Amino acid sequence: MSSALQVIEKAPRAIVPEPVVASAREVAVPPLLLRALRTVALVGWRIFKPAIAFALLLAIWEIAPRIGLVDEVFLPPFSVVAQAFVNLVQSGQMWEHVSTSLTRSASGFSLALVVAIPIGIGIAWYKPVADFLNPILEFFRNTAALALLPVFILILGIGETSKVAVVLYASFFPILLNTITGVRTVDPLLIKSAVSLGFSPLRLFQKVILPAAVPSIFTGVRMAAASSILVLIAAEMVGARAGLGYLITAAQQNFQIPNMYAGILAISILGLTFNGLLVALERRLSRWRTTSGL
């Protein structure tokens, strides 16, 4: 018995492998890689953040009518509206209405640009011009464009001219007022420096006044672009046979509710496209502000 115990005591112990612990230097991620990952995540978040907000909005729009939160007859699910939008595009009706509205809006908006910017510069630069024009401009500035639509129809008829005129009127004042503000708020030090360098009035305007006033002018241009679309849609609802305003009104009267929402979606897409183009143009013309760190 004693000999057996001695054999057990002398038996070799089993070797238990020790866990392998990696050193901190081996598992540590290089700081450069961490910084790159963080930058990629930040850029991805900036790109996809608006998309996430839109996705949430569309999801609510899709789900709310289906679960009975709103009446499906008056607010169809987004998928139904999207299908109506596609049908209008495939049949060619959407392009017909969009091109009609675009032609009217672009005509009135371009005329407003051509007229309002020179008048704004004249009012801001020459006091006699400001004294002469200010009273009548103040009078019309406080008159809503849609209030004058019946007057335009009576004078110019129910055709295209009255609609272009109401867009011109609505776009004129935002461009005019922001042009005046932009020219009047140019830094006097810049003007004095240019004059001391011997700039002629024309060169002073070309090299100092106009570039400094561009941001304010573009603010007015963007406001005018939004106004031109809104006023045009309202004008097309009154007397038109084509255009997005006509599409929305006709669809609502014929109880084609998905088509009505498709027309509203087209207006939103048109407005976003207009604004994006103007912002890109403003950045191109105001690159000096970015380079100077303003």
Side-chain angles (χ1 to χ4, degrees):
M1 187 67 181
S2 61
S3 62
L5 288 173
Q6 289 174 358
V7 170
I8 292 172
E9 288 175 356
K10 289 180 181 179
R13 293 181 180 177
I15 299 173
V16 179
E18 295 182 357
V20 179
V21 179
S23 65
R25 191 172 181 180
E26 291 173 349
V27 298
V29 181
L32 191 61
L33 181 60
L34 268 179
R35 195 178 304 170
L37 289 174
R38 200 173 300 160
T39 304
V40 169
L42 190 61
V43 171
W45 172 244
R46 283 182 181 175
I47 292 173
F48 290 108
K49 189 166 53 174
I52 293 171
F54 267 110
L56 280 175
L57 175 66
L58 297 181
I60 293 171
W61 185 357
E62 179 70 27
I63 294 169
R66 293 193 183 279
I67 62 175
L69 283 179
V70 291
D71 194 334
E72 192 170 343
V73 174
F74 301 117
L75 181 62
F78 174 72
S79 57
V80 177
V81 174
Q83 184 59 48
F85 191 97
V86 172
N87 291 340
L88 285 171
V89 171
Q90 289 176 341
S91 66
Q93 292 182 56
M94 181 61 78
W95 173 244
E96 178 190 347
H97 294 299
V98 168
S99 61
T100 304
S101 293
L102 264 181
T103 305
R104 291 168 180 158
S105 179
S107 302
F109 181 70
S110 304
L111 287 173
L113 275 178
V114 171
V115 176
I117 292 179
I119 293 179
I121 292 171
I123 290 174
W125 201 243
Y126 300 104
K127 193 171 184 305
V129 177
D131 293 339
F132 179 71
L133 290 178
N134 265 345
I136 192 167
L137 289 176
E138 283 296 322
F139 176 77
F140 280 108
R141 185 170 71 89
N142 291 293
T143 306
L146 288 178
L148 292 175
L149 179 60
V151 179
F152 287 130
I153 292 176
L154 282 175
I155 296 174
L156 303 172
I158 203 167
E160 298 299 310
T161 312
S162 59
K163 294 171 185 58
V164 173
V166 78
V167 172
L168 164 64
Y169 184 86
S171 306
F172 178 79
F173 286 101
I175 301 173
L176 176 79
L177 296 177
N178 281 279
T179 302
I180 294 172
T181 304
V183 173
R184 282 183 177 168
T185 54
V186 175
D187 190 349
L189 187 60
L190 290 176
I191 299 175
K192 287 179 183 175
S193 303
V195 171
S196 66
L197 289 172
F199 278 35
S200 65
L202 181 61
R203 192 167 173 77
L204 173 68
F205 175 78
Q206 182 186 3
K207 294 293 182 184
V208 178
I209 304 294
L210 192 57
V214 161
S216 180
I217 293 174
F218 261 94
T219 302
V221 169
R222 289 171 61 189
M223 291 168 62
S227 298
S228 69
I229 293 176
L230 293 176
V231 170
L232 175 65
I233 298 303
E236 287 176 344
M237 288 179 174
V238 176
R241 301 302 299 169
L244 289 172
Y246 169 75
L247 170 66
I248 293 169
T249 308
Q252 187 261 339
Q253 289 174 350
N254 294 320
F255 217 67
Q256 297 171 330
I257 304 302
N259 286 0
M260 183 188 77
Y261 283 103
I264 295 171
L265 272 182
I267 292 171
S268 302
I269 294 170
L270 197 64
L272 281 174
T273 308
F274 239 52
N275 189 61
L277 290 174
L278 290 174
V279 168
L281 184 61
E282 180 186 3
R283 284 179 182 166
R284 180 165 181 78
L285 293 177
S286 306
R287 280 180 297 182
W288 57 272
R289 298 184 76 217
T290 307
T291 53
S292 63
L294 292 173

